[in-house]
């Protein structure tokens, strides 16, 4: 499919004119807040029959998340050729029932990330008057702040291992700690919540989305400080870090090779497996407090525990930016990683949509949660599109069409049955992210 650019730029703070050749069939897809309600009965201004122009009003980025327009609404115009060969321009609007702002209209194409704000793709279509070319186009709202690109309406389901979640009011990818400070300041200035996202392997987003800023952490720098010390960005993939260091003969992070998260998430949750945990090899952590001020936390002066870290008790949002690890030389570290991975493949549903272990093990001599769920006959338990894995009881699986409410109901059902049968009150490892975020 050929992709071509349509002339015109988008300014989120004023009306914008987009010039489109008459042979184009333009579809405008609503993403979060870009179009105002006037598009329900749009008026088109054509400069000529050959070169029509569409005037599109844009809202300020601080406008409310929900508009009167349904997500997925489209408005289009096209040229037609009648039986006498005369050319005419027809405009129409379409309302779709889907609430997915990223569900494109029929024939539309998804816009590549490195393209212009307005793109079009050619396709052929047969009509009773012969074959003609339609070129649908998508419009996406963007706003730039320095090196940062804020997007509206990005579906969080595409950034979650469960595949669950609605649209983010604002979405931005961050590659440096200095930019993360700007994002924090932006959220404070707008008085909207901020959620820092890693690989989405330990969170459950609401179907209504997130009415604030979602910052995708891509601070993935890696620095060898010598003598087994490594400084790693919080956005670095934790499984890649474990595989890389063990391959080079360093021990201490072998367990990380099978954990689908980031370094920042692993530190925040003090992730662990196979009798190892993140804090065992941690030296210090650099982080930003909820006002954007930088701090350094020494591991010796911090209190880490089973799936617990000092950051969980701080006022959100807390952003880990980097960490220093101290590892030791070991010839068997690579073989140990292969052993751990073989065990995971046999005991965990690695090829299904899950968020890893959902519940913390109760400890204090109690059996693991996976055993309790299996013992009470809850393997395979289904609520809507959510189900308990047949492979591992502490893994909850999301099928196509699964909603956040399905997963929450399944979690409540498991906790209720285990409490009734054993008296144990389970705690979740995963974090439910409400639409309005967490209080500062």
């Amino acid at each position: 499919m050929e992709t071509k650019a349509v002339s015109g730029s988008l300014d989120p703070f004023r009306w914008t004119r987009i010039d489109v050749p008459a042979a184009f069939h333009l579809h405008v897809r609503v993403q979060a807040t870009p179009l105002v309600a006037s598009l329900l009965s749009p008026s088109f201004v054509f400069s000529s029959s050959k070169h029509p122009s569409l005037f599109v009003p844009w809202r300020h980025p601080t406008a409310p998340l929900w508009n009167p327009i349904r997500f997925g609404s489209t408005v289009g115009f096209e040229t037609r050729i009648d039986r006498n060969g005369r050319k005419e321009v027809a405009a129409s609007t379409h309302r779709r029932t889907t609430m997915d702002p990223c569900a494109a209209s029929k024939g539309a194409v998804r816009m590549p990330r490195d393209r212009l704000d307005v793109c079009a793709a050619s396709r052929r279509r047969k009509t009773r008057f012969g074959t003609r070319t339609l070129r649908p186009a998508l419009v996406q709202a963007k706003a730039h702040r320095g090196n940062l690109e804020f997007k509206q309406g990005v579906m969080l389901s595409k950034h979650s291992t469960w595949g669950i979640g609605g649209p983010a009011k604002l979405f931005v990818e961050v590659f440096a700690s200095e930019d993360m400070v700007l994002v924090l300041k932006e959220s404070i200035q707008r008085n909207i919540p901020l959620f820092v996202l890693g690989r989405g392997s330990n969170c459950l987003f609401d179907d209504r989305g997130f009415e604030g800023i979602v910052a995708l952490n891509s601070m993935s720098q890696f620095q060898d400080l010598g003598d087994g010390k490594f400084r790693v960005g919080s956005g670095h993939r934790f499984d890649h870090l474990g595989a890389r260091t063990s391959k080079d003969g360093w021990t201490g992070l072998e367990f990380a090779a099978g954990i689908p998260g980031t370094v920042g998430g692993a530190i925040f949750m003090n992730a662990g497996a196979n009798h190892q945990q993140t804090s065992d090899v941690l030296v210090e952590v650099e982080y930003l407090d909820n006002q954007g001020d930088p701090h350094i936390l020494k591991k010796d002066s911090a209190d880490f525990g089973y799936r617990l870290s000092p950051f969980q008790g701080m006022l959100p949002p807390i952003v880990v930016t980097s960490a220093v690890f101290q590892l030791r030389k070991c010839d068997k570290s690579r073989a140990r990683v292969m052993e751990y991975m073989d065990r995971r493949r046999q005991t965990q549903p690695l090829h299904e949509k899950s968020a890893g272990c959902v519940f913390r093990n109760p400890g204090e001599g109690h059996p693991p949660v996976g055993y309790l769920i299996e013992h009470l006959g809850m393997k395979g338990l289904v609520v809507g599109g959510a189900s308990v894995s047949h492979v591992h009881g502490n893994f909850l699986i999301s099928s196509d069409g699964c909603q956040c409410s399905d997963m929450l109901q399944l979690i409540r059902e498991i906790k209720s049955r285990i409490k009734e049968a054993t008296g144990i009150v389970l705690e979740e490892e995963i974090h439910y992210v409400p639409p309005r975020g967490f209080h500062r």
Side-chain angles (χ1 to χ4, degrees):
M1 180 177 288
E2 181 185 3
T3 300
K4 296 181 180 180
V6 181
S7 63
S9 60
L10 300 179
D11 186 338
F13 302 101
R14 66 186 182 205
W15 285 61
T16 302
R17 173 172 171 163
I18 305 174
D19 294 318
V20 184
F24 275 55
H25 182 158
L26 181 68
H27 282 285
V28 179
R29 183 181 66 189
V30 178
Q31 285 194 326
T33 63
L35 300 179
V36 297
S38 60
L39 281 181
L40 289 175
S41 56
S43 60
F44 293 86
V45 181
F46 302 104
S47 57
S48 68
S49 61
K50 292 185 178 180
H51 298 286
S53 299
L54 168 65
F55 284 81
V56 183
W58 292 87
R59 272 195 183 186
H60 192 277
T62 59
L65 176 64
W66 306 112
N67 279 341
I69 301 182
R70 287 181 180 271
F71 286 129
S73 300
T74 61
V75 57
F77 63 93
E78 62 180 90
T79 56
R80 298 174 181 170
I81 301 176
D82 62 16
R83 293 180 181 274
N84 298 322
R86 290 177 299 186
K87 184 180 295 186
E88 64 181 21
V89 177
S92 61
T93 60
H94 311 276
R95 291 289 300 275
R96 300 185 62 187
T97 58
T98 177
M99 291 299 291
D100 181 358
C102 288
S105 59
K106 184 178 180 181
V109 293
R110 294 194 179 278
M111 184 175 63
R113 297 178 65 182
D114 57 346
R115 299 296 297 175
L116 299 178
D117 286 345
V118 183
C119 296
S122 300
R123 65 184 176 95
R124 303 291 290 175
R125 177 180 174 183
K126 287 187 177 182
T127 68
R128 60 178 178 172
F129 306 119
T131 304
R132 60 192 177 93
T133 301
L134 296 179
R135 299 177 176 88
L138 301 183
V139 177
Q140 183 180 39
K142 297 181 181 179
H144 294 268
R145 298 288 187 275
N147 296 325
L148 298 172
E149 183 182 88
F150 289 84
K151 299 179 181 180
Q152 292 178 317
V154 173
M155 290 300 290
L156 298 176
S157 59
K158 300 188 179 300
H159 296 276
S160 166
T161 56
W162 259 329
I164 298 174
K169 182 174 184 179
L170 290 173
F171 185 93
V172 62
E173 189 171 5
V174 180
F175 297 92
S177 58
E178 296 81 6
D179 290 335
M180 187 62 79
V181 173
L182 295 178
V183 173
L184 272 163
K185 300 293 186 183
E186 187 78 11
S187 71
I188 295 172
Q189 181 179 353
R190 292 172 178 261
N191 193 26
I192 57 177
L194 169 68
F195 182 80
V196 180
L197 175 64
R199 295 190 64 201
S201 60
N202 206 39
C203 55
L204 175 60
F205 290 111
D206 197 278
D207 295 321
R208 294 167 290 179
F210 188 74
E211 299 182 19
I213 301 175
V214 175
L216 180 62
N217 186 355
S218 294
M219 298 182 286
S220 57
Q221 62 272 21
F222 180 90
Q223 183 181 7
D224 188 346
L225 303 177
D227 296 328
K229 278 189 177 182
F230 301 91
R231 184 183 301 277
V232 188
S234 60
H236 197 290
R237 287 183 54 163
F238 200 47
D239 52 352
H240 286 188
L241 177 63
R244 178 175 184 173
T245 54
S246 63
K247 183 179 179 180
D248 294 336
W250 298 102
T251 185
L253 286 173
E254 292 92 341
F255 73 96
I259 297 180
T262 59
V263 169
I267 293 172
F268 187 88
M269 288 301 300
N270 194 20
N274 302 299
H275 308 292
Q276 292 179 308
Q277 57 184 6
T278 308
S279 60
D280 293 342
V281 291
L282 198 58
V283 177
E284 65 181 28
V285 181
E286 295 182 7
Y287 70 96
L288 303 173
D289 62 21
N290 63 347
Q291 299 300 313
D293 298 323
H295 301 272
I296 296 179
L297 177 70
K298 299 290 184 179
K299 187 254 180 160
D300 294 339
S301 60
D303 186 18
F304 285 85
Y306 173 69
R307 303 298 180 268
L308 294 173
S309 75
F311 305 106
Q312 297 177 22
M314 299 180 184
L315 288 176
I318 298 297
V319 184
V320 174
T321 56
S322 67
V324 176
F325 295 95
Q326 177 67 67
L327 306 181
R328 306 185 316 276
K329 272 292 183 181
C330 179
D331 296 335
K332 299 180 180 180
S333 58
R334 180 62 176 169
R336 196 172 296 152
V337 166
M338 300 305 295
E339 177 187 348
Y340 292 164
M341 290 305 299
D342 287 340
R343 190 184 307 165
R344 283 181 181 272
R345 280 188 285 267
Q346 295 172 12
T347 60
Q348 298 178 5
L350 301 181
H351 300 292
E352 296 183 278
K353 291 191 291 186
S354 76
C357 288
V358 173
F359 303 101
R360 290 184 170 98
N361 286 322
E364 298 180 359
H366 297 294
V369 175
Y371 173 83
L372 292 173
I373 291 175
E374 182 176 2
H375 180 70
L376 293 176
M378 286 188 284
K379 272 192 173 182
L381 179 63
V382 177
V383 175
S387 62
V388 179
S389 170
H390 289 279
V391 181
H392 194 303
N394 204 2
F395 279 63
L396 303 188
I397 307 302
S398 155
S399 61
D400 292 338
C402 179
Q403 298 182 343
C404 174
S405 56
D406 298 336
M407 197 62 69
L408 289 175
Q409 180 60 36
L410 181 58
I411 290 173
R412 286 193 291 264
E413 182 66 21
I414 293 172
K415 293 176 67 174
S416 175
R417 292 192 187 186
I418 288 183
K419 181 180 180 180
E420 182 180 351
T422 66
I424 299 174
V425 179
L426 295 182
E427 295 181 1
E428 296 92 336
E429 281 191 28
I430 60 101
H431 290 275
Y432 165 66
V433 184
R436 297 189 180 276
F438 306 99
H439 298 291
R440 290 181 181 274

